[in-house]
Amino acid sequence: MTAPAERDLKQRAVVALTRARERTALLTSCVDDGELTAQHSPLMSPLVWDLAHIGNQEEQWLWRAVGGREALRPEIDPLYDAFQHPRAARPSLPLLAPAEARAYAADVRGRILDVLDGARFDGAGPLVEAAFAFGMIAQHEQQHDETMLITHQLRKGPAALSAPPPPVKESGGPLEREVLVPGGPFTMGTSDEPWALDNERPAHTRIVPSFFIDTVPVTNGSYLAFMADGGYRDERWWQPEGWAQIREHGIEAPLFWRREGGRWLRRRFGVTEPVAEDEPVLHVSWYEADAYARWAGRRLPTEAEWEKAARHDPATGRSRRYPWGDADPEPVLANLGQRHLGPSAAGSYPGGASPLGVRQLIGDVWEWTASDFLPYPGFRAFPYKEYSEVFFGPAHKVLRGGSFAVDPVACRGTFRNWDLPVRRQIFSGFRTARNAEPA
């Protein structure tokens, strides 16, 4: 690797790590210590756990594994092992207090920047090649920042965060409801994206029959029509497990919605407001998304269909990094990075459309797909099986595309998210698809 290329990689890593830490600081400095140590939902960790966990992962992977240095705080490794303690049990652990957690994370970061400065990326093994470990840790921190943002949404009390509203949708005339994606082979996954995670690899050929996919994510207005038609009361549309879930918990609307004064309101980060009908629906489970699709006479797209719609360029036959091309995301292309505290109106960001004209495939809301989370052919766990491999199987459904809460470093056309089909606290929405009629 040439010296300029190595300098560019180091600068990219510094920018990604710094941006992540600035966001972590924002999410943990806007509330007092009592809010940091409280558990706002049994589904989530106390914010102070995430803060110290971020520092601990950075110490383990960059200070110890990459830098080859002696452990700084080995005694806290078990406390911040996500697999050793479920979230509901973490408040009972002897966690670092907020001030100590901040000091620990800051101390680790200062040391890591020195490790990065002296690192060499050629011939040092796959963990360091192309600065992978530094990119992995930046993505890890941003993923926990998204988790902490979810915790902020779940917490009660007045607003602690603020952000400008998304830009007004550019006028460009009415959009077609759906787009035809031609059938045939395409390249799914990646083998050459340097910071791609193991479940995105390797690139391989998939053959997908022709299908139609929604031009934009399903909106609140469309979802309200499903609700008004008795969608939550009609067993026909529901998977048995989903029907049992909504009956057991009395679910009749997306999470954080309530009916008051003849209209639907929602609570978003401490602010109660009317449901905006032109925004993509948010905080729905896979079961709710699947039920809506059945009610609409459609279905959820498979993961392969979603990725083909997002990446395949019929004119060239190649798969792009993003719907708009290979360039990194910019604010005019997608709603990412917590610049706003909610999705933009459906139809926004025309510059970020795919070659076939599908919009908002990246950013705004995570999109449920019909697919289980499974490995690609030739999958190899790296650098540890607990990142992906232990979650493979029918228990988890794949989400694609990222949300307004996702940083660009952790969002690309190949990125795969997954969760249990009952989850609603995540920033999840969906779009629907249907088979193309045979010619």
Side-chain angles (χ1 to χ4, degrees):
M1 181 179 293
T2 65
E6 192 164 88
R7 283 197 300 271
D8 288 347
L9 262 179
K10 288 182 178 181
Q11 180 60 26
R12 183 187 177 203
V14 168
V15 169
L17 290 166
T18 301
R19 189 169 67 230
R21 188 52 49 88
E22 288 172 349
R23 187 178 177 195
T24 299
L26 170 67
L27 290 164
T28 55
S29 65
C30 61
V31 292
D32 62 24
D33 285 3
E35 295 268 31
L36 289 176
T37 57
Q39 186 170 52
H40 299 283
S41 165
L43 296 172
M44 312 303 290
S45 307
L47 292 168
V48 74
W49 185 92
D50 288 284
L51 175 58
H53 170 78
I54 286 167
N56 185 249
Q57 287 292 291
E58 192 165 318
E59 182 197 339
Q60 291 193 48
W61 286 103
L62 299 184
W63 180 250
R64 303 181 201 173
V66 173
R69 314 296 173 84
E70 290 293 323
L72 301 173
R73 298 288 301 270
E75 76 282 1
I76 69 172
D77 290 356
L79 295 176
Y80 297 101
D81 184 332
F83 287 88
Q84 191 164 332
H85 305 285
R87 288 175 174 175
R90 290 171 189 170
S92 64
L93 300 174
L95 303 177
L96 301 185
E100 189 178 6
R102 286 193 186 96
Y104 168 62
D107 178 46
V108 172
R109 173 54 56 86
R111 295 168 185 264
I112 290 315
L113 293 178
D114 290 338
V115 171
L116 175 60
D117 185 59
R120 295 293 176 265
F121 301 142
D122 269 347
L127 190 61
V128 185
E129 191 74 28
F132 173 81
F134 297 93
M136 177 186 73
I137 287 299
Q139 292 178 80
H140 173 267
E141 182 163 354
Q142 288 285 5
Q143 288 168 336
H144 274 272
D145 288 340
E146 182 180 7
T147 299
M148 289 194 283
L149 190 62
I150 293 170
T151 302
H152 274 280
Q153 170 63 8
L154 286 162
R155 64 176 283 275
K156 302 298 191 292
L161 296 166
S162 63
V168 176
K169 182 177 71 174
E170 297 180 34
S171 60
L175 295 172
E176 294 292 331
R177 177 188 173 182
E178 60 184 2
V179 170
L180 174 64
V181 180
F186 85 104
T187 300
M188 187 172 185
T190 182
S191 295
D192 53 16
E193 181 78 27
W195 289 358
L197 303 172
D198 60 3
N199 62 65
E200 302 171 64
R201 303 172 183 267
H204 59 287
T205 299
R206 290 283 183 98
I207 297 176
V208 177
S210 299
F211 66 98
F212 287 93
I213 192 167
D214 289 340
T215 305
V216 299
V218 171
T219 64
N220 290 323
S222 295
Y223 200 82
L224 281 165
F226 164 69
M227 293 165 57
D229 196 43
Y232 280 92
R233 301 188 300 275
D234 194 333
E235 189 176 359
R236 287 180 296 165
W237 314 128
W238 296 85
Q239 300 280 355
E241 299 86 351
W243 182 248
Q245 181 78 6
I246 67 164
R247 302 295 290 175
E248 178 183 354
H249 297 283
I251 296 170
E252 59 179 9
L255 189 60
F256 307 115
W257 287 27
R258 74 170 189 268
R259 184 83 169 166
E260 186 176 295
R263 61 178 181 168
W264 284 99
L265 305 176
R266 66 183 174 197
R267 181 174 59 81
R268 180 147 60 189
F269 299 107
V271 176
T272 299
E273 59 191 12
V275 168
E277 294 196 16
D278 62 347
E279 288 182 9
V281 68
L282 190 64
H283 295 302
V284 290
S285 69
W286 183 91
Y287 291 124
E288 288 169 290
D290 180 70
Y292 172 94
R294 291 168 182 269
W295 168 82
R298 298 170 70 83
R299 59 177 175 79
L300 296 179
T302 66
E303 183 183 13
E305 288 174 334
W306 188 97
E307 186 168 327
K308 185 170 188 180
R311 299 185 63 217
H312 183 65
D313 184 352
T316 63
R318 65 179 291 268
S319 290
R320 301 170 163 193
R321 292 180 70 210
Y322 300 98
W324 55 83
D326 295 336
D328 289 338
E330 297 180 3
V332 296
L333 299 175
N335 180 8
L336 292 166
Q338 200 183 310
R339 293 192 310 271
H340 314 293
L341 290 176
S344 302
S348 298
Y349 306 102
S354 75
L356 294 171
V358 188
R359 297 205 184 176
Q360 291 167 286
L361 286 156
I362 297 292
D364 286 305
V365 296
W366 285 108
E367 298 184 16
W368 288 111
T369 72
S371 300
D372 297 336
F373 184 47
L374 299 173
Y376 290 161
F379 168 84
R380 182 174 66 91
F382 178 78
Y384 57 104
K385 67 180 182 179
E386 289 83 5
Y387 180 72
S388 301
E389 186 175 334
V390 297
F391 296 102
F392 289 147
H396 295 87
K397 295 294 186 182
V398 173
L399 302 103
R400 286 302 207 103
S403 72
F404 66 91
V406 176
D407 187 81
V409 76
C411 188
R412 49 196 162 263
T414 58
F415 193 91
R416 307 172 76 195
N417 189 10
W418 65 94
D419 215 323
L420 299 171
V422 298
R423 290 288 187 250
R424 299 184 345 129
Q425 81 276 15
I426 60 177
F427 300 116
S428 53
F430 65 101
R431 71 181 75 215
T432 68
R434 68 179 177 93
N435 298 340
E437 297 297 328

